[in-house]
Amino acid sequence: MEFDVAILGGGAAGLMAAARLSERGGLSVCVIEGNAKPGAKIRISGGGKCNLTNVSVSENNYLGDEILVRSILKRFDEHALLKWVRARGCEPVVRKKRYYFCPRSAQEMIDILVNSAIETRFFLGDRIEYVRKEQGGFLVTTDKRTLSARNVIVATGGVSYASVGATDVGMKVAESFGIETVPFRPALAGMTLQKEQFWMKALTGISFPVTISVGEKRLREDMLFAHRGISGPAVLSASLYWEKGTLSIDFLDGRSVESLLKGGGNKKIATALPLPKRFVTEFLAVLGVDDKPCSSVTPEEKTALQAFNAYTFAPAGTFGFTKAEVSKGGVACGALQPFSCESRAVKGLYFVGEVVDVTGELGGYNFQWAFASGRCAADHI
Ligand code: FDA
């Protein structure tokens, strides 16, 4: 069997590439997907509603090469994606004034992509094993067949959530062609704690808005105390930028503890601070400060209470690939053309989506990247 384009992986990036190639027409295209149905991660994303993009997307929301990210997003940004989806009868809804979701279910997004890829031959339940170069193109071998293609788009994603079909085959393909890769690490994952922070475990289930600082990055969203450590959107995004070492949490999300205490008068600290009382009580015990009237807080205690604005500690690690929404790392950005994601070294071989060393924060950024990069590769062929 011969194709103009073989797309490896029927997830967000691969399906968008197939949809775009169908729109353009004139090329024979196949998608090879290990699962019995395409779009497994889309189906479970965003709590089953797929957070497909964000009201504001820029290279600043990504860990990855700025030039590549900017160049690809410019060619298919959040407005273009929304227009494309709306033209297919789906009106995404905005939540928290930031995140665009499918109105009813993530299946709507899968249906749009699959129905737009009408000119595509799907090989479902085929496990891709390797890709070889041949005269004028490539040979793609799966556990069931070998087919040839003039161009190959590798859209096999990262290794998080192996339970829904994720594998490292894309990295292996890159490495077999001598293309530089960066090892995958879990990202958008909860974080585990060292024993000095085990007090947080007693707060399981409590959630409130915080600002987390990791290096130069500031992440503002909700944090959730969990059995295994800390989680919630702010922590998940922080895990993207964290490798090792410390991070700092402002539990008051920008409000100064000093002014809140000043305005608290005779109210006790746990009443004056606009935070869940159970959290304040627990944290005061950690700081060695009694829950007393704000007016009687000593200068030493005031210094200790600054930790409400900047609690700095080193997490032990992350919840790992089984819980990480994405994998950071992948095919090195520098190995790809910034306008098409085509390999600089191997003409006709493209890498798109999560298999590339570009990873977004929580909030629809990863789908935006997957859709934009898949589309750019398709446009270039
Ligand atoms: P994706 O993983 O979608 O597709 C790769 C495909 O390749 C898969 O279908 C896989 O089965 C196939 N494949 C892999 N190896 C193969 C092999 N050897 N043979 C054959 N097929 C193979 N992002 C976001 O922006 N908003 C959100 O709401 C969420 N929510 C979310 C929830 C959860 C639980 C997870 C795990 C992830 C998210 N994400 C997200 C992240 C998002 O799902 C992810 O970044 C994109 O799906 C990446 O798209 P890709 O097409 O690159 O990979």
Side-chain angles (χ1 to χ4, degrees):
M1 266 173 290
E2 279 185 28
F3 292 89
D4 292 314
V5 189
I7 300 172
L8 314 193
L15 291 175
M16 179 55 90
R20 182 62 179 159
L21 287 163
S22 278
E23 278 169 15
R24 284 180 41 203
L27 295 173
S28 57
V29 180
C30 70
V31 167
I32 309 172
E33 167 55 49
N35 289 325
K37 288 181 181 172
K41 271 196 191 161
I42 303 176
R43 194 167 296 111
I44 60 167
S45 69
K49 294 214 165 178
C50 180
N51 175 198
L52 57 137
T53 189
N54 198 285
V55 294
S56 162
V57 181
S58 85
E59 62 275 15
N60 298 329
N61 303 110
Y62 294 85
L63 183 66
D65 180 71
E66 271 182 30
I67 294 170
L68 175 72
V69 178
R70 196 184 311 128
S71 158
I72 296 295
L73 292 177
K74 189 178 76 186
R75 289 172 163 78
F76 193 62
D77 64 11
E78 65 276 26
H79 309 291
L81 171 63
L82 289 166
K83 190 171 164 203
W84 190 84
V85 170
R86 285 180 183 129
R88 283 153 186 77
C90 175
E91 182 59 52
V93 292
V94 185
R95 286 204 215 150
K96 287 191 172 180
K97 299 187 181 161
R98 289 155 87 170
Y99 313 122
Y100 278 104
F101 283 84
C102 288
R104 282 169 291 278
S105 117
Q107 189 61 42
E108 293 172 278
M109 194 66 208
I110 300 174
D111 291 345
I112 287 175
L113 289 161
V114 172
N115 293 336
S116 302
I118 37 169
E119 302 292 330
T120 311
R121 169 99 185 256
F122 278 85
F123 295 101
L124 298 173
D126 262 42
R127 209 163 177 78
I128 300 148
E129 292 180 342
Y130 53 85
V131 177
R132 296 269 182 272
K133 188 95 186 77
E134 65 155 5
Q135 189 71 28
F138 302 88
L139 285 177
V140 180
T141 299
T142 76
D143 58 349
K144 300 210 174 68
R145 72 198 89 233
T146 293
L147 47 83
S148 79
R150 281 199 303 112
N151 300 276
V152 168
I153 300 180
V154 181
T156 46
V159 292
S160 309
Y161 271 70
S163 53
V164 291
T167 76
D168 66 351
V169 72
M171 290 280 258
K172 292 213 169 104
V173 169
E175 283 158 9
S176 72
F177 282 93
I179 296 169
E180 190 190 344
T181 60
V182 178
F184 280 136
R185 286 102 67 217
L188 303 194
M191 291 174 146
T192 53
L193 304 167
Q194 313 225 35
K195 63 175 182 313
E196 292 75 16
Q197 281 73 43
F198 278 3
W199 60 271
M200 293 186 182
K201 295 191 179 200
L203 300 168
T204 297
I206 293 181
S207 166
F208 54 87
V210 300
T211 302
I212 305 186
S213 304
V214 191
E216 299 294 298
K217 285 284 174 182
R218 306 271 169 281
L219 295 316
R220 286 191 71 187
E221 245 292 5
D222 287 351
M223 165 178 170
L224 169 72
F225 294 94
H227 287 291
R228 286 185 65 191
I230 48 172
S231 189
V235 175
L236 267 55
S237 286
S239 74
L240 176 61
Y241 300 108
W242 180 84
E243 288 290 339
K244 296 184 179 143
T246 59
L247 50 74
S248 180
I249 305 180
D250 177 357
F251 292 116
L252 287 164
D253 193 20
R255 292 158 297 184
S256 141
V257 67
E258 207 172 324
S259 6
L260 288 165
L261 291 173
K262 214 178 267 172
N266 289 328
K267 277 192 214 155
K268 284 192 167 180
I269 303 170
T271 313
L273 299 185
L275 290 170
K277 216 166 181 163
R278 247 179 76 206
F279 165 76
V280 180
T281 311
E282 199 74 36
F283 196 37
L284 285 176
V286 171
L287 301 176
V289 177
D290 289 338
D291 187 17
K292 50 160 72 173
C294 297
S295 50
S296 65
V297 172
T298 66
E300 294 73 35
E301 287 169 337
K302 266 192 195 142
T303 307
L305 292 173
Q306 291 300 327
F308 275 93
N309 280 131
Y311 182 62
T312 303
F313 66 99
T318 70
F319 290 3
F321 282 122
T322 51
K323 295 277 180 207
E325 288 203 0
V326 290
S327 310
K328 56 183 167 185
V331 174
C333 296
L336 305 177
Q337 299 284 5
F339 46 88
S340 62
C341 288
E342 185 182 26
S343 158
R344 288 181 193 272
V346 187
K347 295 284 159 253
L349 181 62
Y350 297 76
F351 293 88
V352 296
E354 202 180 310
V355 75
V356 180
D357 184 18
V358 169
T359 314
E361 293 168 6
L362 194 88
Y365 300 105
N366 285 296
F367 279 138
Q368 180 67 49
W369 165 255
F371 294 139
S373 55
R375 187 160 167 121
C376 284
D379 274 337
H380 188 256
I381 287 171

